[in-house]
Amino acid sequence: MTATHDVIVVGAGIAGASAAAEIAAHRRVVVLEAEERPGVHSTGRSAALWILNYGPADVRALSAASRPFLEGPPQGFAAHALVAPRAVLFVAPEGQEAALAAMMAEGQGLEELSPAAARALVPVLRADYARAAAIERDGLDLDVAAIHQGYLRLLRTRGGEVRLDARAGRVARTGGLWQVDLGGGEVLAAPVLVNAAGAWGDELAEAAGVAPIGLRPLRRTACIVDGPAIDGFPGWPLMGDAAHSWYCRPEARTKLLVSPADETPSAPCDAQPEEIDVALGIDRMQVALDIPVRRVEHRWAGLRTFTPDGSLAIGWDAKAEGFFWLAGQGGYGIQTAPAAARLAASLVLGRDPDREPGLSGIARRTDPARFHSQSSGRRAAGWGSAH
Ligand SMILES: Cc1cc2nc3c(=O)[nH]c(=O)nc-3n(C[C@H](O)[C@H](O)[C@H](O)COP(=O)(O)OP(=O)(O)OC[C@H]3O[C@@H](n4cnc5c(N)ncnc54)[C@H](O)[C@@H]3O)c2cc1C
């Protein structure tokens, strides 16, 4: 078997699309997507936010390093801006003061607000709710579809290919190549396979005979509710409690996105919302905010997939040659995508990511070898004679 491509990327969500676009500048790339269109799973179900003070250190570093791209993408990447300003207000009811203090101690650019100042900003905040508050003033709303489509377009412009309805089910390493049987007698082969299969990352590894890293898909629910018209409402910040048990964000003149910030363990699947979680989100929001809800207009759920330690897994598998992990994006896969894609491309191309702008030191924290303590050293693909 000879190589049909240099790199096979499995999964056309934001992770696979962005990394494939970066790698395609230098290698022949094909992306395999099981669904009939890209973005059906987690990528199409996010809350579309960029928050710096969110997640562990590697996530915060990748979020910060992604911001310049999101604010100033390359010419032709999208027809309009990918981001819009959205402040983030964290409020601490009784019992959560310590959680907020810890966030302030560790956070960057977080400004303490008195409960009165928080109420001046969001007049529907109930007087007896907040004991303390903090604001991140330069959070962002993201246009996820534009970011995702922009990367898919960039990939194609660079000669890359996306195969839809193409599940990588039978995967084997033979003769120094990953071979993916697409059925009907078609087999794709490449020295490198990038695992960007989201919640299915461990399943893909097992199908390829590679040890899983212990990915945990957790279901999260969101809904759009319709409330009253309130002056200034669309410009209000995203709001949530310090313990991350609910959040909400104005969507349009009378619409509010609400989530109970649930984290229910799930098998990899087409996640669906449970009524109880929708009700919990609205209830917790209404304990904090005096906003009547006329009806729930839309509800959905998606999977946020975490590694055992909550940091991302970006790097070569410790044992399986040419098997590259791009997994565990949790609740931050969109806001970290531009930098995570550059980091992945740098490693796949055999470069030193510590020399890439904004990425110094991150590869050590995301190295998936940490999940295999018996690791036998790096297993980068040898770019062989085909290159
Ligand atoms: C409710 C909710 C709110 C969120 N809010 C935010 C937010 O505000 N900001 C943020 O940054 N992130 C947010 N996230 C997280 C973000 O959506 C994810 O981290 C991100 O979408 C993960 O992208 P992905 O490409 O890894 O996964 P996915 O988008 O799930 O893509 C993986 C793809 O791989 C495909 N696949 C799997 N196995 C195979 C196979 N064997 N062969 C071929 N294809 C395969 C799947 O079909 C899927 O399309 C949120 C998530 C949820 C659920």
Side-chain angles (χ1 to χ4, degrees):
M1 180 95 198
T2 52
T4 55
H5 296 83
D6 298 322
V7 178
I8 296 172
V9 176
V10 179
I14 190 69
S18 54
E22 293 292 351
I23 298 166
H26 307 278
R27 295 284 189 271
R28 294 172 300 161
V29 181
V30 61
V31 180
L32 303 181
E33 171 53 54
E35 301 290 349
E36 287 175 357
R37 61 186 173 84
V40 166
H41 292 290
S42 303
T43 297
R45 305 178 191 206
S46 86
L49 295 159
W50 183 99
I51 305 173
L52 182 58
N53 292 287
Y54 192 34
D58 63 307
V59 168
R60 297 199 303 269
L62 286 168
S63 299
S66 293
R67 187 168 176 132
F69 183 100
L70 294 167
E71 289 186 314
Q75 190 79 25
F77 187 84
H80 54 266
L82 300 175
V83 301
R86 173 73 63 193
V88 184
L89 179 65
F90 298 101
V91 282
E94 189 174 2
Q96 290 187 17
E97 296 92 334
L100 191 81
M103 202 187 277
M104 294 282 301
E106 212 190 328
Q108 264 177 279
L110 265 180
E111 188 185 315
E112 192 173 353
L113 276 191
S114 68
R119 284 192 74 211
L121 207 60
V122 181
V124 295
L125 185 60
R126 294 185 192 276
D128 57 352
Y129 183 80
R131 298 297 167 98
I135 190 161
E136 178 179 322
R137 292 201 188 270
D138 59 356
L140 299 169
D141 282 346
L142 304 176
D143 185 336
V144 177
I147 299 166
H148 191 210
Q149 289 304 321
Y151 274 121
L152 290 169
R153 205 167 25 247
L154 185 60
L155 167 69
R156 293 190 180 103
T157 309
R158 291 175 169 171
E161 208 187 324
V162 181
R163 299 285 299 267
L164 300 175
D165 219 353
R167 175 175 297 280
R170 294 171 56 197
V171 184
R173 180 101 180 159
T174 320
L177 297 174
W178 287 106
Q179 304 194 6
V180 181
D181 187 344
L182 293 181
E186 190 181 9
V187 178
L188 300 183
V192 172
L193 187 136
V194 175
N195 179 355
W200 290 266
D202 271 350
E203 276 189 8
L204 177 69
E206 284 179 310
V210 175
I213 59 174
L215 292 172
R216 291 178 307 131
L218 304 177
R219 188 181 70 232
R220 173 151 295 183
T221 310
C223 64
I224 303 289
V225 301
D226 194 22
I230 305 173
D231 278 351
F233 172 76
W236 285 356
L238 166 91
M239 290 161 273
D241 68 343
H244 300 297
S245 74
W246 65 274
Y247 65 85
C248 68
R249 185 213 22 216
E251 284 291 297
R253 214 171 65 82
T254 61
K255 317 259 186 256
L256 192 67
L257 180 152
V258 182
S259 172
D262 45 332
E263 297 196 317
T264 309
S266 167
C269 68
D270 178 6
Q272 296 300 320
E274 300 276 341
E275 276 311 315
I276 180 73
D277 292 323
V278 173
L280 262 179
I282 294 171
D283 186 57
R284 289 175 186 166
M285 178 276 288
Q286 288 187 317
V287 168
L289 304 175
D290 184 10
I291 297 185
V293 168
R294 284 194 302 199
R295 63 177 177 275
V296 178
E297 293 209 331
H298 176 48
R299 44 177 76 68
W300 72 94
L303 299 177
R304 299 157 76 249
T305 298
F306 292 85
T307 67
D309 63 12
S311 288
L312 273 65
I314 306 177
W316 296 107
D317 187 81
K319 293 187 177 159
E321 186 180 2
F323 192 92
F324 191 91
W325 290 90
L326 180 52
Q329 288 83 352
Y332 339 96
I334 317 291
Q335 66 176 49
T336 54
R342 280 198 294 123
L343 176 59
S346 175
L347 289 164
V348 165
L349 296 169
R351 296 180 176 162
D352 178 2
D354 285 350
R355 290 166 169 263
E356 305 275 345
L359 299 185
S360 180
I362 302 181
R364 274 185 295 285
R365 296 188 196 146
T366 64
D367 189 345
R370 69 193 189 276
F371 301 118
H372 296 137
S373 50
Q374 309 295 311
S375 69
S376 58
R378 317 297 334 123
R379 299 292 288 159
W383 290 110
S385 53
H387 310 276

